[in-house]
């Protein structure tokens, strides 16, 4: 399954500021040079109808929307990160493995969960869409397929608020009519080059031999295009531990609303988290508990620590406090699963790897 939130930053802004709901919304990255200089980060679907797109200058977006009552809001990345974290936590418990690929996209391996039944997977996707709507008031688009590339292309196919399920026997009939630029990684350059080979659709791409493709695009991209055009992709969904947070979740022996009955599990989870932090040489700035109730709704409650820490005791004490507070505040809540999350991570030692250094300095 590939889950992609629709016009993500714009939906976050609409929820944070209901007065802009229903209007064209443009999320802006102001450069600060002049009052209006900067670029559009994203726009909601109402604004897109007027031609507003990510990357265009704010001044141009204002021109396109000059005849309508549109909202231009500055980007608030930290807030979107928080919403994203909660959504990813919700998705994580719905699948066998989750691979987050960006702030608003993830692959979910649901092979075992749905027992390789695509109708069950469809129902799971409907359930996820409903849950994100109830919990965060956001819509997403989901693609379901027998592999990652097909699922990713499918999620893009009926945006916004879409759901496209492609069964194994439907893969080629689904892919073949589509233009080649639907393949992830095929940008304007690759598309132009393919046009010179009279290739515009994925069906036409699939008629090229592997040797022609590898000669034209090199071994790596050539083989990728060859496989993808046939709907072949065997890349596994791989968990990518987010460097900004670690979490551990487990199911309680029995559903409960007694804090004491969660303590043993919270101790184990805190220990495992503390071990992970030490292994990575990291500390966390805040600790959160994740509470999944008997109706499978997910709730989190977090607390900032006085100073960054990695000790098991600090995590454990905070988690136990938080679960007590949560149960006191939610009188109806019955816990099914509990989790502990450490976020605001930072290295206690200096940078250890060059790619991280490049990422943070650019
Ligand atoms: P996308 O998933 O590419 O776009 P989106 O979620 O806004 O819209 P869609 O419904 O088409 O999926 O990117 C996710 C977020 O990343 C987006 O909300 C804003 C941000 N972003 C930028 O800041 N600049 C960009 O150029 C792009 C493409 C995205
Ligand atoms: Ca998106």
């Amino acid at each position: 399954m590939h889950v992609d939130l629709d016009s993500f930053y714009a939906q976050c802004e609409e929820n944070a500021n209901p007065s802009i709901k229903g209007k064209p919304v443009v999320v802006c990255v102001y450069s600060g040079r002049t009052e209006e200089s900067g670029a559009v980060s994203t726009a909601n679907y109402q604004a897109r109808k007027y031609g507003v797109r990510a990357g265009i200058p704010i001044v141009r977006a204002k021109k396109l929307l000059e005849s309508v009552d549109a909202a231009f809001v500055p980007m608030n990345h930290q807030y979107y990160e928080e919403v994203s974290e909660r959504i990813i936590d919700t998705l994580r418990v719905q699948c066998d493995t989750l691979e987050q690929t960006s702030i608003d996209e993830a692959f979910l391996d649901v092979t075992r969960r749905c027992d390789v039944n695509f109708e069950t997977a469809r129902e799971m996707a409907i359930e996820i869409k409903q849950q994100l709507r109830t919990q965060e008031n956001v819509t997403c688009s989901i693609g379901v397929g027998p592999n990652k590339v097909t699922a990713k292309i499918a999620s893009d196919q009926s945006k916004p608020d879409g759901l496209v399920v492609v069964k194994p026997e439907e893969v080629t009939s689904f892919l073949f009519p589509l233009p080649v630029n639907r393949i992830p990684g095929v940008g304007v350059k690759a598309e132009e080059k393919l046009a010179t080979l009279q290739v515009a659709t994925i069906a036409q791409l699939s008629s090229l031999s592997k040797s022609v493709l590898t000669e034209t695009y090199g071994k790596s991209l050539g083989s990728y295009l060859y496989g993808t055009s046939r709907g072949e992709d065997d890349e596994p969904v791989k968990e990518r531990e987010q460097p900004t947070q670690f979490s551990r979740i487990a199911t309680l022996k029995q559903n409960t609303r007694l804090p004491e009955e969660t303590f043993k599990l919270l101790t184990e989870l805190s220990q495992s988290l503390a071990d992970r932090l030490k292994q990575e040489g990291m500390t966390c700035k805040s600790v959160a508990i994740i509470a999944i109730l008997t109706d499978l709704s997910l709730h989190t409650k977090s607390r900032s620590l006085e100073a960054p820490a990695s000790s098991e005791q600090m995590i454990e004490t905070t988690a136990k406090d938080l679960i007590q507070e949560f149960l006191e505040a939610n009188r109806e809540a019955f816990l099914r699963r509990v989790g502990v999350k450490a976020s605001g991570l930072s290295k206690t030692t200096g940078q250890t790897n060059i790619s991280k250094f490049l990422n943070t300095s650019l």
Side-chain angles (χ1 to χ4, degrees):
M1 222 180 254
H2 182 256
V3 179
D4 180 353
L5 298 159
D6 302 318
S7 59
F8 181 50
Y9 294 3
Q11 284 204 83
C12 291
E13 289 298 338
E14 287 171 51
N15 286 329
N17 183 3
S19 70
I20 63 174
K21 199 124 202 167
K23 294 183 185 179
V25 173
V26 185
V27 180
C28 304
V29 187
Y30 291 100
S31 67
R33 214 168 289 160
T34 67
E35 204 175 305
E36 292 198 339
S37 66
V40 170
S41 160
T42 195
N44 68 357
Y45 280 77
Q46 284 100 311
R48 289 184 200 188
K49 281 191 212 138
Y50 295 85
V52 179
R53 298 273 175 275
I56 69 168
I58 296 167
V59 176
R60 187 161 140 65
K62 291 218 157 146
K63 276 232 169 69
L64 289 166
L65 290 166
E66 67 190 347
S67 62
V68 275
D69 180 20
F72 288 78
V73 289
M75 184 168 84
N76 178 358
H77 200 264
Q78 196 183 341
Y79 170 57
Y80 317 142
E81 288 275 2
E82 284 168 24
V83 179
S84 162
E85 267 190 33
R86 285 201 301 269
I87 290 174
I88 295 295
D89 285 342
T90 299
L91 297 177
R92 200 183 297 284
V93 296
Q94 307 282 358
C95 59
D96 308 330
T97 312
L98 180 141
E99 177 176 350
Q100 185 176 356
T101 49
S102 78
I103 189 165
D104 79 329
E105 288 183 31
F107 287 106
L108 279 63
D109 187 344
V110 294
T111 314
R112 273 183 288 141
R113 286 287 169 114
C114 73
D115 208 12
V116 208
N117 181 320
F118 279 74
E119 282 313 315
T120 312
R122 182 197 301 277
E123 282 159 25
M124 288 174 58
I126 293 170
E127 179 74 22
I128 288 174
K129 285 167 70 71
Q130 184 56 45
Q131 214 174 344
L132 295 189
R133 199 171 293 127
T134 320
Q135 189 188 304
E136 299 293 338
N137 197 25
V138 294
T139 63
C140 66
S141 297
I142 301 186
V144 180
N147 53 50
K148 283 165 77 172
V149 160
T150 309
K152 163 99 176 146
I153 296 173
S155 73
D156 209 32
Q157 207 45 34
S158 63
K159 264 186 162 294
D161 203 10
L163 170 59
V164 174
V165 179
V166 184
K167 296 180 180 170
E169 64 273 21
E170 298 164 346
V171 169
T172 44
S173 60
F174 166 70
L175 291 176
F176 276 11
L178 300 176
V180 283
N181 65 11
R182 294 299 161 86
I183 297 176
V186 173
V188 179
K189 267 198 189 151
E191 197 183 351
E192 279 170 3
K193 217 168 182 184
L194 283 167
T196 64
L197 301 168
Q198 311 303 318
V199 169
T201 65
I202 297 182
Q204 288 163 337
L205 179 63
S206 75
S207 69
L208 297 184
S209 70
K210 198 167 187 173
S211 54
V212 166
L213 282 169
T214 49
E215 272 160 34
T216 320
Y217 292 99
K219 194 156 182 267
S220 164
L221 182 56
S223 315
Y224 168 76
L225 290 174
Y226 182 80
T228 307
S229 66
R230 289 166 173 66
E232 290 166 5
D233 169 29
D234 58 6
E235 226 194 48
V237 175
K238 285 186 295 274
E239 187 84 32
R240 296 186 196 173
E241 196 83 75
Q242 285 300 293
T244 54
Q245 59 147 309
F246 295 135
S247 61
R248 297 284 182 270
I249 301 186
T251 306
L252 290 154
K253 284 223 171 66
Q254 57 192 39
N255 299 343
T256 184
R257 59 164 285 103
L258 294 175
E260 303 74 39
E261 290 191 353
T262 67
F263 284 178
K264 187 164 173 280
L265 196 52
L266 287 179
T267 304
E268 284 169 22
L269 297 173
S270 304
Q271 187 167 9
S272 163
L273 263 189
D275 287 348
R276 181 68 203 263
L277 286 172
K278 288 199 187 99
Q279 202 182 347
E280 298 286 337
M282 296 181 111
T283 57
C284 64
K285 281 206 213 81
S286 59
V287 171
I289 50 117
I290 301 166
I292 296 163
L293 308 186
T294 41
D295 65 359
L296 297 183
S297 60
L298 181 143
H299 308 256
T300 56
K301 190 167 174 58
S302 73
R303 179 182 296 169
S304 301
L305 304 175
E306 275 172 25
S310 63
S311 84
E312 184 200 327
Q313 209 203 341
M314 179 65 91
I315 296 171
E316 187 186 336
T317 315
T318 312
K320 285 179 178 172
D321 275 353
L322 288 170
I323 208 90
Q324 274 172 319
E325 285 172 19
F326 174 78
L327 288 167
E328 268 164 32
N330 295 273
R331 295 265 163 209
E332 308 285 291
F334 257 87
L335 301 168
R336 178 185 158 87
R337 310 185 78 202
V338 289
V340 185
K341 180 161 79 176
S343 50
L345 304 185
S346 52
K347 283 265 179 202
T348 43
T349 52
Q351 291 284 352
T352 52
N353 106 19
I354 187 75
S355 65
K356 275 184 195 150
F357 172 72
L358 287 171
N359 278 339
T360 48
S361 59
L362 284 175

